[in-house]
Amino acid sequence: MPPRLPLALTLAVLFPGLLAAAPARGEEAVSPFAPVHEQMLVGLDDFTFDSDWFPMDAPLQLRLIAHGGNSVQIDMPGAGRYDWDNESIDFVGDPDAGRLGLDIGLTLDAKIRFDVLGLQWESDILGPYDYAVIAEDGFTPYLLPGNPERPVNIDDETDPVTFVSVPVTPDIIVAAGNLDIDAYVIVAATLVGDAIEAATTAPMAQLATIVAEGESVSLLAGQGPLPDPLEVDGTLVCGLTTDITIVLKPTLVMEILGQKFEIADIEIPIDLPPFADAIRFAPITMSFPRPPPPPPDPTTGDGDSHGNSSSDSDTSGEPPTTGEVNDTEPDGATTNISDSAPGEAGGADESAGCECAATNEQRSPPLLALLLIGLATRRSRARRDPPR
């Protein structure tokens, strides 16, 4: 039987493109992009409200002194995506994971005085008393144009709560009473996303701005191999407006010299300074690993893709004679010197011929490989049928 070639080698010879690896496709790299912003919009030390004495010219009067403030927290979780095929970037927010929260606080001091039948008394400051409420709403980031949840609006009025309830006990036994103060908050706030800025420093400084939800913009990374990974600084820009009012409802009831006095059914609005401005979130660095390059295609290349020099290839179209020399005997029989036994003349040539054949099987083009298969078949038949 003719000697069998390895299956992989046979397939490579007969169908040189069959075992070639398919070129690798570009990949989409993903990196977290979750901007968070916390800011004190109005500090408690920055805003003071003084009601002065009320009701005017009444025998029993109340005075409230308040310090109000508010802060905002915005969470925008999601991810940046880089398309290595198109060298572009886009951003996708996590569904229903965004948060807009307003923390509203108040510290309150109170003073009381009365002048009844010539009996006068004024209290020291009572308090401070603390009041706080949080108004919040959820959404899907990044609230750019095209997001159906844009803008996010908080338009709310909280229920009244009693945060002060204190007995009033002057140092005179002819007067006593109680002070209660309720409070509620009216909140109006609006949040929109304006843009996401994506900036690189290598291989060249670039700035791409995304101004619509789901938009993909070009951001070149170059052919590589560097930078790897590609680092992009993302900065979210939003617009925020707030309008907050804290409403106080005090109730003061006292009995003085046997007479009952009351301050009630009065609402005192305290308007915190409004806020309307753009907010630039702190930049977040995203890292996008470069995909590996595709392996070289063995069926392409200049000249001999296997690295053979032109001197190694026979371009005459004649079969190679290396490793097999025919000698004609006087009686006309032909002797194949390559079939000599080891140690005889030609034994070294056969060894060299085998080595050459093995090398050609690995390095020669498919045509030469087919010729070698035919030569191997002739040698096998020569061994079975000795010269007569």
PDB file of all heavy atoms in Angstrom, residues 76-100:
ATOM      1  N   MET A  76     -26.299  58.455  38.416  1.00  0.00           N
ATOM      2  CA  MET A  76     -26.542  58.107  37.012  1.00  0.00           C
ATOM      3  C   MET A  76     -25.765  56.835  36.636  1.00  0.00           C
ATOM      4  O   MET A  76     -24.772  56.901  35.904  1.00  0.00           O
ATOM      5  CB  MET A  76     -26.102  59.261  36.100  1.00  0.00           C
ATOM      6  CG  MET A  76     -26.898  60.529  36.260  1.00  0.00           C
ATOM      7  SD  MET A  76     -28.361  60.511  35.227  1.00  0.00           S
ATOM      8  CE  MET A  76     -28.691  62.271  35.076  1.00  0.00           C
ATOM      9  N   PRO A  77     -26.161  55.659  37.119  1.00  0.00           N
ATOM     10  CA  PRO A  77     -25.410  54.446  36.794  1.00  0.00           C
ATOM     11  C   PRO A  77     -25.648  53.980  35.364  1.00  0.00           C
ATOM     12  O   PRO A  77     -26.749  54.110  34.815  1.00  0.00           O
ATOM     13  CB  PRO A  77     -25.942  53.425  37.808  1.00  0.00           C
ATOM     14  CG  PRO A  77     -27.303  53.917  38.151  1.00  0.00           C
ATOM     15  CD  PRO A  77     -27.253  55.412  38.059  1.00  0.00           C
ATOM     16  N   GLY A  78     -24.610  53.442  34.758  1.00  0.00           N
ATOM     17  CA  GLY A  78     -24.689  52.925  33.397  1.00  0.00           C
ATOM     18  C   GLY A  78     -23.311  52.515  32.924  1.00  0.00           C
ATOM     19  O   GLY A  78     -22.430  52.199  33.730  1.00  0.00           O
ATOM     20  N   ALA A  79     -23.100  52.524  31.618  1.00  0.00           N
ATOM     21  CA  ALA A  79     -21.825  52.064  31.057  1.00  0.00           C
ATOM     22  C   ALA A  79     -21.537  52.785  29.751  1.00  0.00           C
ATOM     23  O   ALA A  79     -22.455  53.180  29.017  1.00  0.00           O
ATOM     24  CB  ALA A  79     -21.842  50.550  30.825  1.00  0.00           C
ATOM     25  N   GLY A  80     -20.238  52.934  29.488  1.00  0.00           N
ATOM     26  CA  GLY A  80     -19.778  53.386  28.184  1.00  0.00           C
ATOM     27  C   GLY A  80     -19.399  52.184  27.336  1.00  0.00           C
ATOM     28  O   GLY A  80     -18.882  51.185  27.844  1.00  0.00           O
ATOM     29  N   ARG A  81     -19.679  52.258  26.040  1.00  0.00           N
ATOM     30  CA  ARG A  81     -19.366  51.152  25.128  1.00  0.00           C
ATOM     31  C   ARG A  81     -18.518  51.677  23.977  1.00  0.00           C
ATOM     32  O   ARG A  81     -18.866  52.682  23.345  1.00  0.00           O
ATOM     33  CB  ARG A  81     -20.649  50.522  24.585  1.00  0.00           C
ATOM     34  CG  ARG A  81     -21.585  49.998  25.659  1.00  0.00           C
ATOM     35  CD  ARG A  81     -22.771  49.257  25.066  1.00  0.00           C
ATOM     36  NE  ARG A  81     -23.528  50.083  24.129  1.00  0.00           N
ATOM     37  CZ  ARG A  81     -24.672  49.706  23.567  1.00  0.00           C
ATOM     38  NH1 ARG A  81     -25.180  48.514  23.879  1.00  0.00           N
ATOM     39  NH2 ARG A  81     -25.314  50.507  22.726  1.00  0.00           N
ATOM     40  N   TYR A  82     -17.397  50.958  23.724  1.00  0.00           N
ATOM     41  CA  TYR A  82     -16.524  51.362  22.618  1.00  0.00           C
ATOM     42  C   TYR A  82     -16.544  50.284  21.546  1.00  0.00           C
ATOM     43  O   TYR A  82     -16.299  49.107  21.821  1.00  0.00           O
ATOM     44  CB  TYR A  82     -15.093  51.584  23.101  1.00  0.00           C
ATOM     45  CG  TYR A  82     -14.221  52.222  22.032  1.00  0.00           C
ATOM     46  CD1 TYR A  82     -14.275  53.590  21.813  1.00  0.00           C
ATOM     47  CD2 TYR A  82     -13.389  51.458  21.219  1.00  0.00           C
ATOM     48  CE1 TYR A  82     -13.514  54.193  20.829  1.00  0.00           C
ATOM     49  CE2 TYR A  82     -12.625  52.049  20.230  1.00  0.00           C
ATOM     50  CZ  TYR A  82     -12.691  53.420  20.041  1.00  0.00           C
ATOM     51  OH  TYR A  82     -11.946  54.000  19.053  1.00  0.00           O
ATOM     52  N   ASP A  83     -16.870  50.697  20.329  1.00  0.00           N
ATOM     53  CA  ASP A  83     -16.935  49.793  19.181  1.00  0.00           C
ATOM     54  C   ASP A  83     -15.606  49.868  18.442  1.00  0.00           C
ATOM     55  O   ASP A  83     -15.290  50.883  17.797  1.00  0.00           O
ATOM     56  CB  ASP A  83     -18.084  50.211  18.266  1.00  0.00           C
ATOM     57  CG  ASP A  83     -18.334  49.201  17.149  1.00  0.00           C
ATOM     58  OD1 ASP A  83     -17.376  48.509  16.752  1.00  0.00           O
ATOM     59  OD2 ASP A  83     -19.477  49.118  16.664  1.00  0.00           O
ATOM     60  N   TRP A  84     -14.815  48.782  18.528  1.00  0.00           N
ATOM     61  CA  TRP A  84     -13.487  48.769  17.915  1.00  0.00           C
ATOM     62  C   TRP A  84     -13.582  48.679  16.401  1.00  0.00           C
ATOM     63  O   TRP A  84     -12.645  49.068  15.691  1.00  0.00           O
ATOM     64  CB  TRP A  84     -12.661  47.612  18.483  1.00  0.00           C
ATOM     65  CG  TRP A  84     -12.158  47.903  19.862  1.00  0.00           C
ATOM     66  CD1 TRP A  84     -12.689  47.482  21.036  1.00  0.00           C
ATOM     67  CD2 TRP A  84     -11.019  48.698  20.203  1.00  0.00           C
ATOM     68  NE1 TRP A  84     -11.954  47.959  22.084  1.00  0.00           N
ATOM     69  CE2 TRP A  84     -10.921  48.701  21.611  1.00  0.00           C
ATOM     70  CE3 TRP A  84     -10.075  49.395  19.454  1.00  0.00           C
ATOM     71  CZ2 TRP A  84      -9.910  49.382  22.281  1.00  0.00           C
ATOM     72  CZ3 TRP A  84      -9.064  50.071  20.127  1.00  0.00           C
ATOM     73  CH2 TRP A  84      -8.985  50.067  21.523  1.00  0.00           C
ATOM     74  N   ASP A  85     -14.670  48.142  15.875  1.00  0.00           N
ATOM     75  CA  ASP A  85     -14.834  48.089  14.415  1.00  0.00           C
ATOM     76  C   ASP A  85     -14.964  49.499  13.838  1.00  0.00           C
ATOM     77  O   ASP A  85     -14.314  49.847  12.854  1.00  0.00           O
ATOM     78  CB  ASP A  85     -16.067  47.267  14.044  1.00  0.00           C
ATOM     79  CG  ASP A  85     -15.782  45.774  14.070  1.00  0.00           C
ATOM     80  OD1 ASP A  85     -14.622  45.397  13.849  1.00  0.00           O
ATOM     81  OD2 ASP A  85     -16.705  45.000  14.323  1.00  0.00           O
ATOM     82  N   ASN A  86     -15.836  50.305  14.453  1.00  0.00           N
ATOM     83  CA  ASN A  86     -16.127  51.636  13.920  1.00  0.00           C
ATOM     84  C   ASN A  86     -15.365  52.741  14.636  1.00  0.00           C
ATOM     85  O   ASN A  86     -15.497  53.911  14.253  1.00  0.00           O
ATOM     86  CB  ASN A  86     -17.632  51.919  14.028  1.00  0.00           C
ATOM     87  CG  ASN A  86     -18.456  50.913  13.258  1.00  0.00           C
ATOM     88  OD1 ASN A  86     -18.089  50.522  12.160  1.00  0.00           O
ATOM     89  ND2 ASN A  86     -19.565  50.481  13.837  1.00  0.00           N
ATOM     90  N   GLU A  87     -14.619  52.371  15.703  1.00  0.00           N
ATOM     91  CA  GLU A  87     -13.906  53.363  16.509  1.00  0.00           C
ATOM     92  C   GLU A  87     -14.870  54.473  16.940  1.00  0.00           C
ATOM     93  O   GLU A  87     -14.690  55.650  16.655  1.00  0.00           O
ATOM     94  CB  GLU A  87     -12.716  53.948  15.750  1.00  0.00           C
ATOM     95  CG  GLU A  87     -11.581  52.942  15.546  1.00  0.00           C
ATOM     96  CD  GLU A  87     -10.329  53.579  14.970  1.00  0.00           C
ATOM     97  OE1 GLU A  87     -10.336  53.910  13.770  1.00  0.00           O
ATOM     98  OE2 GLU A  87      -9.369  53.748  15.729  1.00  0.00           O
ATOM     99  N   SER A  88     -15.913  54.050  17.652  1.00  0.00           N
ATOM    100  CA  SER A  88     -16.927  54.986  18.117  1.00  0.00           C
ATOM    101  C   SER A  88     -17.333  54.611  19.539  1.00  0.00           C
ATOM    102  O   SER A  88     -17.092  53.495  20.010  1.00  0.00           O
ATOM    103  CB  SER A  88     -18.148  54.967  17.194  1.00  0.00           C
ATOM    104  OG  SER A  88     -18.744  53.676  17.189  1.00  0.00           O
ATOM    105  N   ILE A  89     -17.966  55.566  20.229  1.00  0.00           N
ATOM    106  CA  ILE A  89     -18.354  55.363  21.624  1.00  0.00           C
ATOM    107  C   ILE A  89     -19.796  55.803  21.814  1.00  0.00           C
ATOM    108  O   ILE A  89     -20.280  56.724  21.151  1.00  0.00           O
ATOM    109  CB  ILE A  89     -17.414  56.150  22.570  1.00  0.00           C
ATOM    110  CG1 ILE A  89     -17.647  55.750  24.033  1.00  0.00           C
ATOM    111  CG2 ILE A  89     -17.571  57.661  22.384  1.00  0.00           C
ATOM    112  CD1 ILE A  89     -16.604  56.295  24.985  1.00  0.00           C
ATOM    113  N   ASP A  90     -20.506  55.073  22.694  1.00  0.00           N
ATOM    114  CA  ASP A  90     -21.844  55.481  23.089  1.00  0.00           C
ATOM    115  C   ASP A  90     -22.035  55.111  24.553  1.00  0.00           C
ATOM    116  O   ASP A  90     -21.177  54.471  25.170  1.00  0.00           O
ATOM    117  CB  ASP A  90     -22.919  54.858  22.199  1.00  0.00           C
ATOM    118  CG  ASP A  90     -23.038  53.354  22.393  1.00  0.00           C
ATOM    119  OD1 ASP A  90     -22.083  52.739  22.923  1.00  0.00           O
ATOM    120  OD2 ASP A  90     -24.066  52.767  22.017  1.00  0.00           O
ATOM    121  N   PHE A  91     -23.172  55.528  25.122  1.00  0.00           N
ATOM    122  CA  PHE A  91     -23.430  55.324  26.546  1.00  0.00           C
ATOM    123  C   PHE A  91     -24.847  54.804  26.726  1.00  0.00           C
ATOM    124  O   PHE A  91     -25.779  55.255  26.053  1.00  0.00           O
ATOM    125  CB  PHE A  91     -23.249  56.631  27.321  1.00  0.00           C
ATOM    126  CG  PHE A  91     -21.833  57.140  27.337  1.00  0.00           C
ATOM    127  CD1 PHE A  91     -21.352  57.917  26.299  1.00  0.00           C
ATOM    128  CD2 PHE A  91     -20.982  56.822  28.377  1.00  0.00           C
ATOM    129  CE1 PHE A  91     -20.050  58.383  26.291  1.00  0.00           C
ATOM    130  CE2 PHE A  91     -19.679  57.273  28.391  1.00  0.00           C
ATOM    131  CZ  PHE A  91     -19.213  58.055  27.340  1.00  0.00           C
ATOM    132  N   VAL A  92     -24.991  53.860  27.669  1.00  0.00           N
ATOM    133  CA  VAL A  92     -26.292  53.255  27.949  1.00  0.00           C
ATOM    134  C   VAL A  92     -26.507  53.261  29.461  1.00  0.00           C
ATOM    135  O   VAL A  92     -25.677  52.737  30.221  1.00  0.00           O
ATOM    136  CB  VAL A  92     -26.374  51.813  27.406  1.00  0.00           C
ATOM    137  CG1 VAL A  92     -27.718  51.201  27.763  1.00  0.00           C
ATOM    138  CG2 VAL A  92     -26.159  51.789  25.904  1.00  0.00           C
ATOM    139  N   GLY A  93     -27.613  53.855  29.913  1.00  0.00           N
ATOM    140  CA  GLY A  93     -27.925  53.899  31.334  1.00  0.00           C
ATOM    141  C   GLY A  93     -28.605  52.630  31.813  1.00  0.00           C
ATOM    142  O   GLY A  93     -29.283  51.940  31.047  1.00  0.00           O
ATOM    143  N   ASP A  94     -28.428  52.313  33.086  1.00  0.00           N
ATOM    144  CA  ASP A  94     -29.093  51.163  33.693  1.00  0.00           C
ATOM    145  C   ASP A  94     -30.585  51.489  33.887  1.00  0.00           C
ATOM    146  O   ASP A  94     -30.925  52.524  34.485  1.00  0.00           O
ATOM    147  CB  ASP A  94     -28.468  50.824  35.046  1.00  0.00           C
ATOM    148  CG  ASP A  94     -27.041  50.322  34.907  1.00  0.00           C
ATOM    149  OD1 ASP A  94     -26.661  49.929  33.790  1.00  0.00           O
ATOM    150  OD2 ASP A  94     -26.303  50.331  35.914  1.00  0.00           O
ATOM    151  N   PRO A  95     -31.472  50.629  33.408  1.00  0.00           N
ATOM    152  CA  PRO A  95     -32.903  50.932  33.485  1.00  0.00           C
ATOM    153  C   PRO A  95     -33.382  51.182  34.913  1.00  0.00           C
ATOM    154  O   PRO A  95     -33.089  50.400  35.832  1.00  0.00           O
ATOM    155  CB  PRO A  95     -33.556  49.671  32.900  1.00  0.00           C
ATOM    156  CG  PRO A  95     -32.510  49.078  32.006  1.00  0.00           C
ATOM    157  CD  PRO A  95     -31.202  49.367  32.686  1.00  0.00           C
ATOM    158  N   ASP A  96     -34.081  52.296  35.096  1.00  0.00           N
ATOM    159  CA  ASP A  96     -34.727  52.664  36.365  1.00  0.00           C
ATOM    160  C   ASP A  96     -33.751  52.766  37.532  1.00  0.00           C
ATOM    161  O   ASP A  96     -34.162  52.682  38.697  1.00  0.00           O
ATOM    162  CB  ASP A  96     -35.834  51.656  36.720  1.00  0.00           C
ATOM    163  CG  ASP A  96     -36.894  51.568  35.641  1.00  0.00           C
ATOM    164  OD1 ASP A  96     -37.251  52.621  35.088  1.00  0.00           O
ATOM    165  OD2 ASP A  96     -37.358  50.448  35.343  1.00  0.00           O
ATOM    166  N   ALA A  97     -32.464  52.957  37.263  1.00  0.00           N
ATOM    167  CA  ALA A  97     -31.468  52.982  38.335  1.00  0.00           C
ATOM    168  C   ALA A  97     -31.036  54.392  38.709  1.00  0.00           C
ATOM    169  O   ALA A  97     -30.328  54.579  39.702  1.00  0.00           O
ATOM    170  CB  ALA A  97     -30.233  52.167  37.950  1.00  0.00           C
ATOM    171  N   GLY A  98     -31.450  55.401  37.941  1.00  0.00           N
ATOM    172  CA  GLY A  98     -31.076  56.774  38.272  1.00  0.00           C
ATOM    173  C   GLY A  98     -31.846  57.295  39.470  1.00  0.00           C
ATOM    174  O   GLY A  98     -32.947  56.826  39.791  1.00  0.00           O
ATOM    175  N   ARG A  99     -31.263  58.305  40.130  1.00  0.00           N
ATOM    176  CA  ARG A  99     -31.914  58.852  41.327  1.00  0.00           C
ATOM    177  C   ARG A  99     -31.629  60.348  41.426  1.00  0.00           C
ATOM    178  O   ARG A  99     -30.479  60.781  41.295  1.00  0.00           O
ATOM    179  CB  ARG A  99     -31.419  58.154  42.588  1.00  0.00           C
ATOM    180  CG  ARG A  99     -31.974  58.742  43.886  1.00  0.00           C
ATOM    181  CD  ARG A  99     -31.444  58.016  45.110  1.00  0.00           C
ATOM    182  NE  ARG A  99     -31.929  58.603  46.356  1.00  0.00           N
ATOM    183  CZ  ARG A  99     -31.289  59.557  47.034  1.00  0.00           C
ATOM    184  NH1 ARG A  99     -30.128  60.012  46.572  1.00  0.00           N
ATOM    185  NH2 ARG A  99     -31.780  60.041  48.160  1.00  0.00           N
ATOM    186  N   LEU A 100     -32.680  61.104  41.658  1.00  0.00           N
ATOM    187  CA  LEU A 100     -32.580  62.513  42.020  1.00  0.00           C
ATOM    188  C   LEU A 100     -33.155  62.664  43.419  1.00  0.00           C
ATOM    189  O   LEU A 100     -34.333  62.366  43.644  1.00  0.00           O
ATOM    190  CB  LEU A 100     -33.345  63.396  41.032  1.00  0.00           C
ATOM    191  CG  LEU A 100     -33.553  64.858  41.450  1.00  0.00           C
ATOM    192  CD1 LEU A 100     -32.224  65.586  41.593  1.00  0.00           C
ATOM    193  CD2 LEU A 100     -34.461  65.576  40.461  1.00  0.00           C
TER     194      LEU A 100
END
